[in-house]
């Protein structure tokens, strides 16, 4: 794992701890550079863990994570309900039990996910003009992130 380069922000650094928020049936902890998220709901009740550090328009993100159990959905341009914007975002659902390396690039209204899961860009005209990174965590799921850096504007 490389250190963030100039212009990148490490969202797993100790200084970033207060910028993580949860909604609904989710728990999170950030200790020693590892973000652990858990889905605490039952049935179809999912939770959301999101980076409230800042909202970005264009994003280059680098993520490394292991799904301990269950699965989650990665969301670009997330806005919390209090922002008053209809949620419609580009996302990808993951479910695996091995370490995964991903890159996420959002430019204008197109999001592309690469790395261990290459996906073509998907335009989404209803995507908010800016937002943060979020994870929809499914009931009974647990995911550990060991890298999450953002270069954004």
């Amino acid at each position: 794992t490389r250190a963030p380069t100039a212009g990148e922000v490490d969202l797993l650094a100790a200084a970033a701890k207060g910028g993580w928020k949860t909604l609904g049936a989710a728990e999170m902890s950030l200790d020693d550079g590892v973000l652990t998220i858990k889905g605490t709901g039952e049935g179809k009740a999912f939770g959301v863990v999101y980076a409230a550090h800042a909202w970005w328009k264009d994003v280059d993100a680098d993520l490394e994570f292991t799904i301990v159990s269950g699965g989650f959905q990665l969301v670009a341009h997330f806005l919390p309900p209090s922002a008053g914007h209809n949620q419609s975002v580009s996302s990808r659902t993951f479910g695996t039990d091995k370490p995964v390396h991903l890159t996420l690039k959002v430019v204008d209204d197109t999001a592309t996910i690469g790395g261990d899961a290459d996906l073509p860009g998907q335009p989404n005209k209803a995507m908010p003009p800016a937002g943060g990174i979020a994870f929809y965590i499914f009931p009974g799921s647990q995911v550990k992130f060991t890298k999450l850096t953002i270069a954004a504007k």
Side-chain angles (χ1 to χ4, degrees), residues 29-120:
S29 63
L30 178 57
D31 298 303
D32 298 322
V34 176
L35 173 68
T36 302
I37 64 174
K38 296 179 182 179
T40 60
E42 295 182 15
K44 295 183 179 183
F46 66 90
V48 180
V49 177
Y50 67 99
H53 305 80
W55 292 349
W56 306 288
K57 179 182 182 317
D58 296 336
V59 172
D60 276 311
D62 197 7
L63 302 90
E64 291 178 2
F65 59 86
T66 299
I67 296 178
V68 178
S69 60
F72 75 98
Q73 193 172 44
L74 169 64
V75 180
H77 283 197
F78 174 80
L79 295 175
S82 62
H85 195 288
N86 185 7
Q87 282 296 0
S88 182
V89 295
S90 292
S91 62
R92 170 76 165 119
T93 300
F94 302 96
T96 184
D97 60 355
K98 66 176 185 168
V100 176
H101 173 254
L102 288 181
T103 57
L104 167 67
K105 186 175 187 86
V106 178
V107 178
D108 295 325
D109 64 351
T110 301
T112 304
I113 297 176
D116 292 346
D118 289 323
L119 299 171

